[in-house]
Amino acid sequence: MGMKSEQTKERILQEAWKLFARKGFQAVTMTDICEKTGLSRGGLYRYYKGTGEIFSAILSQEYEIGSRMDRREGACVILEDMLGEIRKEILEKELSLSLAIYEYASLGNEELFQRINENAKQRWISLIEYGIETGEFKQQDPGQAAECILYYYQGLRMWSRVIPFEEQTAEYYVKTIREMLVPV
Amino acid sequence: MGMKSEQTKERILQEAWKLFARKGFQAVTMTDICEKTGLSRGGLYRYYKGTGEIFSAILSQEYEIGSRMDRREGACVILEDMLGEIRKEILEKELSLSLAIYEYASLGNEELFQRINENAKQRWISLIEYGIETGEFKQQDPGQAAECILYYYQGLRMWSRVIPFEEQTAEYYVKTIREMLVPV
């Protein structure tokens, strides 16, 4: 796929993300996404067959760290980059997809969420194992730490739509995860 | 209020909880709650003026610990009781109120959730401060620990409706919070 196509796909995902975050999953139509991206129906359908495919593509986007570990970058450096991304996301409450995730799950898409959850967990486990191996992280159960990192984040994402959040809430998240993984 | 009235109120909250967990907030009517409890409309309205008041009463139920700290019970004993309750709740995924909370919040009830969240946080902060004071808990920022405890729980509650949960997920929660608070 050419550069231009990749850019178009990226733009579709970005605009659709905002729509799903605002309206949930079911209320968003392919027509809405055409309007926001300026694509024709034919143009949009060339990339994605429906809103489910788009939503699934958004959720499957991952912060890639495998190659960074292959290059033997420091575990703490990778961790800080990930925490920086998460910190930004927590503060962008208007981009929380929690409601849309809930709706899409209730339509019987359990497998997608299991896969996404499993991938996210494996990514964290591999970083934690890597950090333990390099001696940068504390000895601990990587699966246990990964679950805290993921569900604590999900709780924040959901509640960021329920109550107003202060910057400190994002700082606390970053501090807690760092303290859990890295020796003082 | 007499014993019988208290029991009736308790029964209303229990039955309504199941309905809200299954259907969300908006789809539940006072008629549904009459049917489930066997109360007449007049009987139900004697206790609660509407579904909002019932939902608010459910969310405001708290695990009371103030008197236990006044009696100088051990912080670890109180903690283990609270973790035991939470563990049970996590595994009862069919009683998760996350979707109903989301819906009720979107109707403009931010203040209720701020109050509930603040109360829950204060309850945890008071236990953590108490445990630090008795020397049973590690020195730490009680507000930071309280946020992890609450949002990690909320993330679990939400995702328990999205993916199937294993018992281990609840065990991990309990272990993580215990390790965060109590020295090994």
Side-chain angles (χ1 to χ4, degrees):
Chain A
M1 189 177 282
M3 179 77 110
K4 182 132 181 298
S5 298
E6 279 303 333
Q7 282 173 354
T8 307
K9 274 183 114 165
E10 184 54 39
R11 188 155 50 91
I12 293 168
L13 298 187
Q14 263 179 21
E15 294 299 329
W17 185 323
K18 289 184 220 163
L19 287 167
F20 290 130
R22 194 162 66 237
K23 302 165 73 166
F25 175 73
Q26 284 188 277
V28 176
T29 64
M30 289 297 264
T31 309
D32 294 334
I33 299 170
C34 286
E35 274 173 26
K36 286 289 177 190
T37 53
L39 288 168
S40 65
R41 276 187 91 72
L44 179 58
Y45 276 89
R46 198 169 341 136
Y47 295 98
Y48 295 104
K49 283 197 288 289
T51 53
E53 203 175 298
I54 297 175
F55 191 58
S56 167
I58 290 171
L59 294 175
S60 304
Q61 288 178 311
E62 285 172 8
Y63 191 82
E64 213 274 308
I65 58 168
S67 61
R68 300 183 63 176
M69 294 190 288
D70 290 344
R71 285 196 306 271
R72 308 301 291 170
E73 281 192 45
C76 284
V77 177
I78 302 174
L79 173 66
E80 289 305 322
D81 287 349
M82 290 174 86
L83 290 177
E85 288 297 315
I86 291 175
R87 197 186 153 283
K88 260 195 288 175
E89 278 178 34
I90 291 171
L91 294 172
E92 285 175 331
K93 56 175 262 179
E94 66 286 352
L95 290 182
S96 162
L97 291 174
S98 301
L99 179 59
I101 288 172
Y102 225 130
E103 275 188 29
Y104 197 62
S106 71
L107 298 172
N109 294 290
E110 208 177 70
E111 275 162 48
L112 169 70
F113 291 107
Q114 276 188 274
R115 181 168 57 72
I116 287 167
N117 191 55
E118 206 41 56
N119 288 349
K121 206 154 119 182
Q122 280 311 323
R123 200 162 55 252
W124 275 105
I125 288 174
S126 67
L127 177 64
I128 296 165
E129 286 175 343
Y130 175 69
I132 293 172
E133 182 207 315
T134 65
E136 289 172 274
F137 290 176
K138 295 183 212 173
Q139 284 288 348
Q140 61 196 295
D141 179 336
Q144 180 180 333
E147 288 210 351
C148 177
I149 292 168
L150 292 172
Y151 292 120
Y152 181 2
Y153 169 75
Q154 292 294 345
L156 284 180
R157 288 303 261 171
M158 188 204 145
W159 275 76
S160 72
R161 298 292 283 267
V162 171
I163 55 169
F165 259 19
E166 290 162 32
E167 190 114 354
Q168 194 188 40
T169 298
E171 303 308 335
Y172 272 165
Y173 178 87
V174 168
K175 272 187 77 183
T176 299
I177 305 310
R178 191 187 291 130
E179 286 167 9
M180 190 166 71
L181 300 179
V182 185
V184 198
Chain B
M1 190 178 279
M3 180 77 113
K4 183 135 181 296
S5 296
E6 278 304 332
Q7 282 173 356
T8 308
K9 273 184 113 164
E10 184 53 39
R11 187 154 52 89
I12 293 168
L13 298 187
Q14 263 179 23
E15 293 300 328
W17 183 324
K18 290 184 219 161
L19 287 167
F20 289 130
R22 194 161 68 239
K23 302 164 73 166
F25 175 74
Q26 284 187 278
V28 176
T29 64
M30 289 296 265
T31 309
D32 295 334
I33 299 169
C34 286
E35 274 174 25
K36 287 289 178 189
T37 53
L39 290 169
S40 65
R41 276 188 90 73
L44 179 58
Y45 276 90
R46 199 170 341 139
Y47 296 99
Y48 294 104
K49 283 195 289 287
T51 54
E53 202 174 300
I54 297 175
F55 191 58
S56 167
I58 291 171
L59 294 176
S60 303
Q61 289 177 311
E62 284 172 7
Y63 191 82
E64 214 274 307
I65 58 167
S67 61
R68 299 183 65 177
M69 294 191 287
D70 290 343
R71 286 196 306 271
R72 308 299 294 169
E73 281 193 44
C76 284
V77 177
I78 302 173
L79 173 67
E80 288 307 322
D81 287 350
M82 289 174 87
L83 290 176
E85 288 297 315
I86 292 175
R87 195 186 154 283
K88 260 195 289 176
E89 277 178 33
I90 291 171
L91 294 170
E92 285 176 331
K93 55 175 260 179
E94 66 285 352
L95 290 182
S96 162
L97 292 174
S98 302
L99 178 58
I101 288 172
Y102 225 130
E103 275 187 29
Y104 197 62
S106 72
L107 299 172
N109 295 290
E110 208 177 70
E111 275 162 48
L112 170 70
F113 291 108
Q114 275 187 276
R115 180 168 57 74
I116 288 166
N117 191 57
E118 204 41 56
N119 288 348
K121 207 153 118 184
Q122 280 310 322
R123 199 161 57 251
W124 276 105
I125 288 174
S126 67
L127 177 64
I128 297 165
E129 286 175 343
Y130 175 69
I132 292 172
E133 181 206 313
T134 65
E136 289 173 274
F137 291 176
K138 295 182 212 173
Q139 284 288 349
Q140 61 196 293
D141 179 337
Q144 180 181 336
E147 289 210 350
C148 176
I149 292 167
L150 292 172
Y151 292 120
Y152 182 2
Y153 169 75
Q154 293 294 344
L156 284 179
R157 287 304 261 171
M158 188 203 144
W159 275 76
S160 73
R161 297 292 283 269
V162 171
I163 55 169
F165 259 20
E166 290 162 30
E167 190 115 353
Q168 197 188 38
T169 298
E171 303 307 335
Y172 272 166
Y173 178 86
V174 168
K175 272 188 74 185
T176 299
I177 305 309
R178 191 187 289 129
E179 286 168 9
M180 190 166 71
L181 300 180
V182 185
V184 197

